[in-house]
Amino acid sequence: MNWKLIYTKRITGKITVITGLHIGGSTELMEIGGVDNPIIKNPVDNSPYIPGSSLKGKMRSLMEWKLGLLSANGKPYTSDRPDCPITRVFGGMAGATKFGPTRLVVRDAFLTAESRKAFDEGQELTEVKHENSIDRITSEANPRPLERVVPGVAFDLDIAYKVIDTDDGGAVDENYFQEVVLRALALVQEDFLGGSGSRGCGRIRFDDLKDEKGNPLQLPSA
C-alpha cells in the first residue's frame, strides 16, 4: 500500500482560561519559600504556556472514555486496526504501520498578543492558591500551595491534521477530523485541562476557531 498526503487541515484560535489553570512544571530549581506546585513556564522569559502534549493527551484520553475504550490498567489505548479512530488520529506504538503516520499535531500554545502585552507590562498572570488537606483523625491541616494561571489569560491554539489517502481518497481521515478531533476539543471544553480539575481548576474555552482557509469552525456537542 502506498499512502499519499492529500493536504493538511488546520485549526487556529484561542484557549481562554476560565478557572485557574495548573499544568505542573519542574520543582528541581525551587527556591526557599517557593511554591511546591509550580506551573510549567517558558524558560526564556518565564511566561506561562500550554504544552501541546498536555492538550493532545487530554483530547486522547477523553475520546477513549467517549468511545468506551478506556483500559483497566490505565494505559493509553492502542490497536492495530487500520481504521481505529484513536490510533489513527493520535498515534500508536512505535513500528506500527497499518494506519500510517500520526495525523494530529498539537503545537505548544503560547500567550496571545493581548496576554503577552499584559505580561510584558508587569501584570500578574499567575496566582498561588492555598489549599489545605485535613487529617480526618487529628484534624491537622497540611497546606499545599498551588500555582495557577489566572482566569482571562489566553493562549494561541495551533493544530495541524494530515488527511492521507489510504486507498480511500482520504475519506476516513476527513470523517475523523469531525468525529474525533473536533469532538475531542469539545470534550476538553466540557471537562478540564491540566491538574486539580476535580477541585475547580482547569476549565477552559476555545474561542475564534478557524480552519486553514480562515472559515469559522464550530465544535460539535460533546
Side-chain angles (χ1 to χ4, degrees), residues 7 14 16-17 20 35 51 89 104 120 128 134 182:
Y7 53 84
K14 295 191 302 183
T16 303
V17 178
V35 180
V89 171
L104 189 65
D120 290 341
V128 177
I134 306 297
L182 294 183

Side-chain angles (χ1 to χ4, degrees), residues 18-213:
I18 305 301
T19 63
L21 175 66
H22 175 81
I23 298 178
S26 174
T27 58
E28 292 181 359
L29 300 178
M30 187 178 70
E31 300 176 353
I32 295 176
V35 180
D36 291 338
N37 296 296
I39 61 170
I40 191 167
K41 295 177 180 177
N42 188 334
V44 175
D45 57 13
N46 213 38
S47 62
Y49 75 100
I50 299 175
S53 57
S54 296
L55 178 55
K56 184 178 181 181
K58 186 67 176 184
M59 292 168 66
R60 179 175 186 144
S61 66
L62 289 176
M63 279 306 301
E64 290 175 7
W65 277 83
K66 182 71 173 180
L67 299 175
L69 300 175
L70 184 69
S71 60
N73 58 16
K75 294 182 179 180
Y77 175 83
T78 188
S79 169
D80 59 1
R81 287 177 25 232
D83 63 342
C84 171
I86 296 298
T87 309
R88 186 172 179 128
V89 171
F90 296 99
M93 295 182 296
T97 59
K98 292 184 178 181
F99 35 78
T102 302
R103 305 307 196 269
L104 189 65
V105 177
V106 182
R107 297 187 171 90
D108 291 348
F110 297 100
L111 293 172
T112 62
E114 184 178 357
S115 291
R116 164 58 63 179
K117 181 181 179 182
F119 177 78
D120 290 341
E121 291 176 348
Q123 294 187 35
E124 291 292 340
L125 302 190
T126 63
E127 65 177 357
V128 177
K129 181 175 183 287
H130 292 276
E131 300 178 341
N132 284 306
S133 61
I134 306 297
D135 187 298
R136 298 299 191 267
I137 305 298
T138 65
S139 297
E140 179 181 2
N142 178 32
R144 49 185 184 192
L146 185 75
E147 188 175 24
R148 312 191 304 177
V149 179
V150 298
V153 175
F155 301 86
D156 285 321
L157 176 69
D158 189 357
I159 289 176
Y161 178 81
K162 301 179 184 72
V163 176
I164 297 176
D165 182 359
T166 56
D167 291 343
D168 63 356
V172 172
D173 287 343
E174 278 284 0
N175 180 55
Y176 284 173
F177 179 75
Q178 297 289 332
E179 295 300 321
V180 179
V181 179
L182 294 183
R183 193 170 302 279
L185 289 175
L187 288 168
V188 174
Q189 189 169 252
E190 291 298 316
D191 200 74
F192 64 88
L193 183 62
S196 301
S198 64
R199 303 202 301 273
C201 297
R203 187 181 176 194
I204 56 96
R205 184 180 67 240
F206 296 107
D207 292 321
D208 303 327
L209 297 181
K210 295 180 180 178
D211 65 14
E212 66 282 358
K213 297 179 181 179

